[in-house]
């Protein structure tokens, strides 16, 4: 077991920055009031809540009244889909989404099917990209919501949201996007994208887990998901997680410092890593679009072996990555994303995802480039798929 530790799973979660933890700390110990309380303790907490809402709104080009704080990406996706479906049920019962969405969207759509809604799942091409024309073809008079992720968490494909939004706006259909992988990584503006609802979560951009937000454009009909008190302007009941929300806003603010330069630097490292892998490992392919992808995403499929074997070999060397063919609930099926882009079963099972972050160095990547080919060679020597 190596004593070196290299983290290349930033798409799964990120460490909380020291500055973010420092910003949160007072709201756990000193400014601990309930923001719904009228006394000074509560009003101090409410000011922090309002300032955080202003910060999030400013960064994504929204109004503060359009930001609703949640417990994270999954809740925000549920809130968007179920909330819009319920609020617009009298107008229609049809929802459109894509084959590569996060389970937080796909499973919510399955739930809505059981509640009497119709769901159309639009396919993607071999790179994981949605064709706006396919979205247009899927629209019916009953369509009340379209949900297309901004970028895929597994293969990094960045979707043509601006083009899709032109179609949905012409028909006055709300467009939701799960932007969990893009907010904080690349510039995101709700008007440029043309979206009516947008999901984000703090732990993807060096903030705390358990804090997220949903942007809801003014005029978008949406019903509450969580019922109880009057918090979040009566649309999301429950005492707000003030420390987490402060951390979210601080982390998002930090992410915007030289964001384009940072994205360019990560992209350069990503491309260096991809070139190195291609040059060292035979019978390997890059999953996702070669250029229209997240700056930090490297998803590969290696033939004749399973991704889990590579993961275990890397983990023994202190390297953390994730499997592109991760099993769900004990299923032996490869991921729905890899199936959607048409990867054959055996190749899909040989997928692995590396995701880079602000603490990734070229030396880290060189270490992987040195050792991964040896792991692949060893696994292939034992593989029944060869010969």
């Amino acid at each position: 077991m190596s004593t070196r530790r290299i983290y290349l799973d930033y798409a799964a979660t990120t460490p909380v920055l020291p500055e973010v933890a420092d910003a949160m700390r007072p709201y756990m110990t000193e400014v601990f009031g309930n923001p719904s309380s009228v006394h000074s303790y509560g009003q101090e907490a409410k000011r922090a809540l309002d300032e955080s809402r202003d910060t999030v709104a400013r960064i994504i080009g929204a109004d503060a009244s359009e930001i609703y704080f949640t417990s994270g990406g999954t809740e925000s996706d549920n809130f968007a889909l179920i909330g819009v479906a319920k609020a617009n049920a009298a107008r229609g019962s049809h929802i459109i989404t894509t084959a590569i969405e996060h389970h937080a969207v796909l499973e919510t759509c399955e739930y809505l099917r059981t509640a009497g809604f119709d769901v159309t799942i639009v396919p993607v091409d071999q790179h994981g990209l949605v064709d706006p024309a396919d979205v247009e073809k899927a629209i019916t008079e009953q369509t009340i919501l379209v949900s297309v992720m901004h970028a895929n968490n597994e293969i990094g494909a960045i979707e043509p949201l601006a083009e899709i939004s032109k179609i949905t706006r012409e028909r006055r259909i709300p467009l939701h996007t799960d932007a969990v992988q893009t907010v904080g990584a690349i510039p995101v503006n709700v008007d440029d994208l043309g979206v009516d609802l947008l999901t984000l979560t703090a732990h993807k951009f060096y903030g705390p887990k358990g804090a997220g937000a949903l942007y809801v454009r003014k005029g978008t009909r949406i019903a509450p998901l969580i019922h109880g008190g009057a918090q979040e302007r009566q649309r999301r009941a429950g005492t707000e997680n003030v420390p987490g929300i402060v951390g979210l806003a601080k982390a998002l603010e930090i992410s915007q410092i030289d964001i384009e330069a940072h994205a360019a630097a990560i992209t350069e490292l990503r491309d260096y890593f991809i070139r190195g892998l291609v040059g060292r490992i035979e019978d390997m392919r890059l999953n996702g679009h070669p250029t229209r992808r997240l700056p930090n995403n490297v998803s590969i499929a290696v033939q004749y072996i399973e991704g889990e074997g590579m993961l275990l070999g890397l983990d023994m060397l202190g390297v953390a990555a994730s499997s592109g063919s991760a099993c769900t609930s004990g299923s032996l099926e490869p991921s729905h994303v890899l199936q959607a882009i048409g990867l054959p079963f055996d190749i899909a099972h040989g997928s692995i995802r590396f995701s880079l972050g602000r603490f990734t160095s070229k030396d880290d990547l060189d270490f992987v480039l040195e050792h991964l080919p040896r792991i692949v060679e060893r696994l292939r020597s034992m593989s029944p798929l060869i010969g």
Side-chain angles (χ1 to χ4, degrees):
M1 180 80 66
S2 172
T3 57
R4 181 168 186 169
R5 300 192 77 195
I6 297 172
Y7 187 74
L8 294 175
D9 201 17
Y10 286 88
T13 197
T14 58
V16 174
L17 293 175
E19 307 96 300
V20 173
D22 289 344
M24 294 171 62
R25 194 166 290 111
Y27 297 93
M28 300 179 193
T29 57
E30 301 163 25
V31 189
F32 57 84
N34 187 320
S36 295
S37 299
V38 297
H39 50 61
S40 61
Y41 288 87
Q43 292 311 296
E44 286 177 335
K46 187 177 185 304
R47 276 194 294 274
L49 200 62
D50 291 342
E51 289 170 5
S52 297
R53 202 183 308 276
D54 288 342
T55 297
V56 174
R58 172 176 52 80
I59 289 171
I60 66 170
D63 187 85
S65 65
E66 299 172 312
I67 304 299
Y68 297 88
F69 289 117
T70 68
S71 64
T74 294
E75 185 192 328
S76 291
D77 284 343
N78 274 257
F79 184 10
L81 271 65
I82 297 173
V84 170
K86 285 187 174 180
N88 293 275
R91 296 174 48 205
S93 59
H94 182 231
I95 297 164
I96 298 170
T97 190
T98 82
I100 61 166
E101 298 297 312
H102 191 277
H103 286 297
V105 168
L106 292 177
E107 291 299 320
T108 304
C109 284
E110 285 305 308
Y111 162 75
L112 287 168
R113 280 190 206 269
T114 68
F117 290 87
D118 296 319
V119 179
T120 297
I121 297 179
V122 173
V124 295
D125 66 15
Q126 73 272 23
H127 297 306
L129 296 178
V130 178
D131 186 342
D134 287 338
V135 175
E136 187 168 23
K137 288 175 192 172
I139 293 173
T140 72
E141 291 183 357
Q142 289 288 307
T143 305
I144 54 173
L145 178 66
V146 175
S147 181
V148 178
M149 69 195 328
H150 192 188
N152 184 262
N153 52 298
E154 191 171 322
I155 61 173
I158 299 176
E159 302 299 337
L161 276 180
E163 291 90 335
I164 293 170
S165 72
K166 291 176 184 176
I167 296 166
T168 56
R169 283 193 167 185
E170 284 177 3
R171 291 156 179 78
R172 297 184 179 179
I173 300 168
L175 174 62
H176 165 252
T177 189
D178 182 328
V180 160
Q181 292 291 332
T182 53
V183 172
I186 59 176
V188 173
N189 181 283
V190 293
D191 286 337
D192 291 344
L193 295 177
V195 297
D196 302 291
L197 305 104
L198 180 144
T199 292
L200 62 91
T201 191
H203 77 101
K204 302 295 187 179
F205 47 83
Y206 307 89
K209 297 171 181 65
L214 178 68
Y215 157 78
V216 182
R217 187 179 294 275
K218 286 179 182 175
T220 303
R221 291 169 54 86
I222 186 168
L225 177 68
I226 297 176
H227 302 271
Q231 293 90 351
E232 296 301 293
R233 299 178 302 288
Q234 298 185 323
R235 282 186 167 172
R236 199 278 186 182
T239 302
E240 294 92 346
N241 173 12
V242 178
I245 290 166
V246 168
L248 183 156
K250 181 66 174 178
L252 188 55
E253 199 168 40
I254 292 171
S255 76
Q256 302 305 298
I257 300 171
D258 298 325
I259 187 171
E260 292 183 354
H262 178 68
I266 291 286
T267 300
E268 187 175 338
L269 274 178
R270 178 201 72 189
D271 292 344
Y272 168 80
F273 191 41
I274 291 171
R275 288 193 302 271
L277 291 168
V278 170
R280 289 168 173 81
I281 301 175
E282 294 182 356
D283 296 318
M284 187 205 83
R285 59 160 285 167
L286 180 70
N287 298 325
H289 196 278
T291 56
R292 191 183 176 110
R293 67 189 302 125
L294 289 167
N296 72 335
N297 178 280
V298 179
S299 173
I300 60 171
V302 181
Q303 285 188 259
Y304 312 124
I305 57 176
E306 293 190 354
E308 285 79 3
M310 288 186 283
L311 276 184
L312 290 171
L314 287 168
D315 190 48
M316 290 184 70
L317 295 171
V319 179
S322 66
S323 175
S325 57
C327 297
T328 303
S329 300
S331 170
L332 296 177
E333 290 295 309
S335 85
H336 67 287
V337 174
L338 299 180
Q339 292 182 79
I341 64 174
L343 278 194
F345 184 91
D346 56 333
I347 297 177
H349 268 292
S351 288
I352 187 170
R353 181 194 68 188
F354 300 95
S355 44
L356 288 54
R358 67 167 58 221
F359 303 115
T360 304
S361 69
K362 186 170 174 287
D363 285 345
D364 292 337
L365 302 181
D366 285 336
F367 182 85
V368 177
L369 290 173
E370 177 186 354
H371 291 280
L372 183 58
R374 298 174 186 172
I375 293 170
V376 170
E377 184 178 357
R378 185 176 72 253
L379 292 171
R380 280 179 173 170
S381 71
M382 300 181 289
S383 174
L385 299 175
I386 296 180

